[in-house]
Amino acid sequence: MQVFSSADARKRGILVTVLLLAVFVLLYLSLRRYAPFIFHPDELQTWIDQFGVLAPAAFMFVQISQVVVAPVPGQVVALVAGYLFGSVAGTVYSITGVLIGSVIAFLLADRYGRTFVEDILHEDVVARFDEFVDRVGFPGLVAFVLIPGLPDDAICFLAGLTKWKLRTFMVAITVGRLPAYVLTVYAGGELASGEFTEGAVIIGTVIVASAVGYYKREAIRDLVGSLRERTSS
């Protein structure tokens, strides 16, 4: 399968990937210089502990906000969770925040309807993915959300316009989102432990997968839809 639709799209994809990696490296070097305690697990844990129960609560609020408002990709927040709280607690906080945010998005759309969703989401996203959740069903939604770089937060709003039950939607979102979040949180935990190479490899893999998912989102949408039609026929 051709990854990019044209030479220009390929150049843009490579440029975005390089820029993201550069930002990550720059952030790492800046923290090394100006906040070195972050790279010492014992000192970092002491710093986190001073916030008490407010630290995970504040983090989950950020994760909830990124679903509803979407200022930053969820994987970036998950990476921070792994770095601050470790793999296990970081995964729990990340998934909890994402699920609460997804519930809020679903219920807002269900309560206020299509006009509200069209005001919240970009018209291009609505045009491309409207009725997608109804069309692909449970397995298709899981497969779609599983791939990073796709508009999964927008799907939460659009799902609220369907006849899906909230609990069924949440199961699909949990199963689909969990692998990428576990992987990203783990990478953050590796960075906090000083395993920079392993963490960087995982992050680089997620970035590349996200870039491919973003630029091939329509092809993936059509593929998931066609698989649903084949299995139902």
Side-chain angles (χ1 to χ4, degrees), residues 175-220:
V175 174
R177 279 181 157 172
L178 189 60
Y181 275 81
V182 168
L183 192 63
T184 310
V185 170
Y186 175 77
E190 290 297 286
L191 293 180
S193 301
E195 299 294 337
F196 179 77
T197 301
E198 184 174 354
V201 169
I202 295 174
I203 293 168
T205 302
V206 173
I207 289 174
V208 171
S210 298
V212 173
Y214 176 79
Y215 281 103
K216 298 300 293 183
R217 57 191 182 278
E218 291 185 35
I220 295 171

Side-chain angles (χ1 to χ4, degrees), residues 24-135:
F24 169 73
V25 172
L26 181 61
L27 177 62
Y28 173 80
L29 294 176
S30 298
L31 291 174
R32 274 288 186 186
R33 180 172 182 178
Y34 298 107
F37 74 93
I38 289 178
F39 297 92
H40 300 282
D42 293 338
E43 296 180 23
L44 177 62
Q45 191 60 53
T46 300
W47 181 77
I48 294 172
D49 290 342
Q50 70 179 324
F51 295 97
V53 296
L54 294 180
F59 170 80
M60 284 189 286
F61 177 78
V62 173
Q63 190 68 280
I64 292 168
S65 299
Q66 74 81 19
V67 176
V68 179
V69 184
V72 293
Q75 281 75 22
V76 173
V77 184
L79 180 67
V80 174
Y83 198 91
L84 294 178
F85 304 108
S87 298
V88 177
T91 299
V92 171
Y93 298 152
S94 290
I95 291 299
T96 300
V98 165
L99 293 182
I100 293 174
S102 299
V103 168
I104 292 173
F106 184 99
L107 293 178
L108 284 174
D110 181 61
R111 172 66 178 82
Y112 295 105
R114 177 169 295 275
T115 302
F116 170 79
V117 173
E118 290 176 347
D119 288 339
I120 291 293
L121 301 181
H122 192 282
E123 59 182 8
D124 181 64
V125 174
V126 175
R128 294 173 189 271
F129 293 95
D130 194 15
E131 300 181 355
F132 174 80
V133 179
D134 259 342
R135 189 168 68 252

Side-chain angles (χ1 to χ4, degrees), residues 143-202:
F144 185 83
V145 176
L146 187 66
I147 303 171
L150 298 175
D152 46 3
D153 292 339
I155 290 297
C156 295
F157 284 98
L158 293 172
L161 302 178
T162 70
K163 296 180 180 179
W164 275 54
K165 294 184 179 298
L166 177 60
R167 62 176 178 271
T168 306
F169 171 74
M170 293 311 300
V171 172
I173 287 294
T174 303
V175 174
R177 279 181 157 172
L178 189 60
Y181 275 81
V182 168
L183 192 63
T184 310
V185 170
Y186 175 77
E190 290 297 286
L191 293 180
S193 301
E195 299 294 337
F196 179 77
T197 301
E198 184 174 354
V201 169
I202 295 174

